[in-house]
Amino acid sequence: MPFTPKMTRPILTQRIPTPPYGNPKDRRVISYAAYTASGGYAGLRKAIAMSPDDVVNEVKNSQLRGRGGAGFPCGLKWTFLPKPDANGEGGPRYLAINADESEPGTFKDRLLMDFDPHLVLEGIAICCYACRIQTAYFYIRGEYHHQARVMENAIREAYEHGIFGGTGLFSGASTKNRDTPWKVECFLHRGAGAYICGEETGLLESLEGKRGWPRNKPPFPAIKGLFGKPTIINNVETLAHVPSIIENGAAWFGTMGCESSIKGAPPSYGTKLMGVSGHVERPGVFECDLGIPLRTLVEQYCGGMRKGKKYKGAIPGGVSMGILGPDQFDAELDFDIGRKYNVLGLGTAGPTIFDEDTDMVAVARNIARFFKHESCGQCTPCREGSGWLYQLLSRIEEGNAKSRDLDLALEIATSMGTMSGTTICGLADGNNWAVRTIMNKFRDEFEARVKPTFIPVGITLGGAGLGGTGLQTGVMV
């Protein structure tokens, strides 16, 4: 069936001209004045007229799922924080905004930071009010030099106009059920370029000035996070959705996206930024309904495959998600994609498209090289397995491997991270899914690069030890 979009207008990109709704040449950084003139901060004004619990419930009822990779329900995560005491305080608690965006093939958060930073800051302010948080840390990827300057300027504007600091949200307007306004401080923290700091506890370690090593869980960050205090960690795009949900209501958010096609699974409501790269005519970030088929995204938004070549495969959302094969071009890009198409999940929804000329052996080797380089080294399966896997795939690509090396590579990839409790974070799982889905869905390309393995087999003719003749033969595998 043809895909019928439910989104009638852009939500996250309403101020960022994006095809098919606008021309990217018209983009500019939206200042505080331009943001408020176009209806910005209306969601925050409405939120602070509500009780914090009502704001949390509205986000929870919208069933907004995290846009950072895992797809965990945002409002439900907010409820994990310990309840405030009788005075509504409950001690220090923190919000950490994950703007690390280090997953290869992912650049959708960068679009928001580049052009509409106040949308993100409004979501931060609403979250802090709802969760009784007074300090927010905006953790941005170390390589995002320009984006850091844009966000710093936007934070400065927000302070100047009373959003943060001073006498409280909106210069003291946040007085619902309180004797004093709710005051929020927001700080930008630049990372040092480590992929592993995109993992939430690795991010917290980095924020504390330590080496970015993921932590064992439990305790989870909502109980013991930054500086040992309750902490919420949300992605940039996730928080950017919050203002429109508060302004328009949870029911409105549910009119976009799609229901789950798997019984008992949560729906994939709302719109999603899809950062498409690879062999398409017009790569870029596009805002679409969740559930859009990959073919529709490529053909209607990206202008089709580059130079008219045939589609071969696609990584649906950052390289750690695994690959969609040649027969999965019509895969629906929603949070059910993992169980339906044998990939790890939708991830960051940053599809990388491959045409018919792509060497999938080289793709697998390059992904393995990346994970080997970025492993923090804490866990033996990840530290040793990633290096071993990269060596095997390099040997296969060079044509110096034998057929048994294919089975060994699959065995290593399948074992890494799949046994619960053997690794602290999901890096090993990402390496696992990326390599083994490529090897399984493009097995013929790998087999064509290896030499047959010769296994010698001894055969004795006649009675053993009675003068029988021993012959040596072999089996090709």
Side-chain angles (χ1 to χ4, degrees):
M1 291 180 61
F3 175 76
T4 303
K6 298 178 181 178
M7 181 183 77
T8 57
R9 61 180 177 85
I11 308 302
L12 299 178
T13 58
Q14 59 180 298
R15 302 173 189 86
I16 309 173
T18 302
Y21 302 98
N23 189 340
K25 293 181 180 180
D26 297 329
R27 291 174 178 173
R28 57 188 176 86
V29 178
I30 304 300
S31 65
Y32 177 88
Y35 184 70
T36 53
S38 60
Y41 287 111
L44 178 58
R45 287 191 182 277
K46 183 176 178 180
I48 60 180
M50 303 163 63
S51 71
D53 287 345
D54 287 343
V55 176
V56 172
N57 288 332
E58 193 70 28
V59 175
K60 185 178 177 181
N61 292 337
S62 74
Q63 301 193 64
L64 167 66
R65 297 177 66 173
R67 269 43 174 173
F72 192 83
C74 175
L76 181 60
K77 178 186 283 190
W78 290 2
T79 66
F80 292 164
L81 285 172
K83 292 293 184 182
D85 59 22
N87 297 320
E89 301 293 348
R93 50 181 63 193
Y94 300 97
L95 171 64
I97 301 92
N98 190 342
D100 192 60
E101 197 164 50
S102 51
E103 179 76 13
T106 306
F107 49 98
K108 45 93 179 176
D109 291 340
R110 187 177 70 186
L111 182 75
L112 298 174
M113 292 184 280
D114 267 333
F115 300 107
D116 202 359
H118 282 281
L119 177 63
V120 183
L121 296 183
E122 183 177 6
I124 292 170
I126 294 172
C127 176
C128 287
Y129 174 77
C131 298
R132 305 286 81 191
I133 292 170
Q134 292 187 309
T135 306
Y137 289 97
F138 193 91
Y139 187 95
I140 191 168
R141 181 179 179 181
E143 293 89 344
Y144 278 179
H145 306 289
H146 171 73
Q147 291 74 22
R149 289 191 293 270
V150 172
M151 291 305 305
E152 280 277 25
N153 185 62
I155 292 172
R156 179 184 56 78
E157 287 185 314
Y159 269 95
E160 290 174 353
H161 291 86
I163 303 300
F164 297 131
T167 56
L169 291 172
F170 266 130
S171 300
S174 51
T175 56
K176 179 70 175 180
N177 298 329
R178 290 181 55 83
D179 294 330
T180 57
W182 191 255
K183 181 179 177 180
V184 176
E185 303 290 348
C186 184
F187 305 98
L188 184 138
H189 182 100
R190 298 186 66 176
Y195 169 81
I196 201 63
C197 289
E199 195 276 338
E200 60 180 20
T201 59
L203 183 152
L204 296 180
E205 289 286 292
S206 179
L207 269 174
E208 292 179 359
K210 304 172 186 174
R211 184 173 182 174
W213 275 14
R215 302 173 180 174
N216 275 310
K217 297 181 284 289
F220 291 94
I223 304 300
K224 186 178 180 181
L226 188 63
F227 308 123
K229 301 300 181 182
T231 304
I232 289 294
I233 305 166
N234 281 140
N235 173 258
V236 167
E237 185 186 352
T238 308
L239 291 170
H241 269 294
V242 172
S244 61
I245 290 172
I246 297 301
E247 186 177 358
N248 299 293
W252 164 84
F253 189 73
T255 62
M256 298 170 286
C258 62
E259 299 286 348
S260 175
S261 57
I262 297 175
K263 186 176 180 180
S268 297
Y269 286 155
T271 64
K272 184 76 185 68
L273 295 180
M274 308 272 184
V276 187
S277 59
H279 302 148
V280 294
E281 289 288 353
R282 185 173 60 201
V285 179
F286 307 94
E287 186 176 6
C288 316
D289 283 280
L290 277 164
I292 186 173
L294 178 61
R295 183 190 298 272
T296 302
L297 179 62
V298 170
E299 294 180 352
Q300 295 186 14
Y301 287 76
C302 303
M305 295 295 296
R306 191 174 64 186
K307 298 180 180 179
K309 293 185 177 181
K310 294 181 180 179
Y311 161 86
K312 184 174 185 177
I315 296 172
V319 297
S320 60
M321 292 299 105
I323 197 165
L324 298 168
D327 59 340
Q328 296 174 331
F329 196 21
D330 291 303
E332 303 90 354
L333 299 175
D334 60 18
F335 289 109
D336 295 331
I337 192 172
R339 285 193 271 181
K340 291 193 293 186
Y341 296 100
N342 191 30
V343 291
L344 183 55
L346 181 65
T348 56
T352 303
I353 314 299
F354 303 114
D355 67 22
E356 56 190 313
D357 297 330
T358 306
D359 181 352
M360 301 311 297
V361 179
V363 171
R365 185 267 308 151
N366 196 36
I367 291 174
R369 178 205 60 78
F370 172 81
F371 283 116
K372 170 185 176 294
H373 181 268
E374 294 296 338
S375 172
C376 77
Q378 281 192 95
C379 309
T380 301
C382 184
R383 180 185 65 247
E384 302 299 328
S386 61
W388 195 4
L389 194 57
Y390 172 62
Q391 290 178 15
L392 282 169
L393 289 170
S394 296
R395 194 186 307 163
I396 293 169
E397 184 184 18
E398 294 163 358
N400 297 323
K402 296 187 177 181
S403 54
R404 65 183 176 185
D405 290 325
L406 296 181
D407 297 329
L408 182 58
L410 271 175
E411 181 181 350
I412 295 169
T414 305
S415 300
M416 288 178 61
T418 55
M419 186 179 296
S420 178
T422 58
T423 57
I424 294 173
C425 80
L427 189 145
D429 290 286
N431 199 350
N432 164 354
W433 280 89
V435 171
R436 70 186 175 94
T437 56
I438 294 173
M439 292 189 70
N440 284 328
K441 294 180 181 181
F442 297 93
R443 177 81 182 192
D444 56 334
E445 292 194 32
F446 288 83
E447 291 178 343
R449 299 285 267 274
V450 299
K451 303 170 185 176
T453 300
F454 181 85
I455 302 177
V457 179
I459 301 176
T460 301
L461 300 180
L466 299 178
T469 303
L471 299 179
Q472 190 79 11
T473 182
V475 178
M476 307 289 283
V477 296

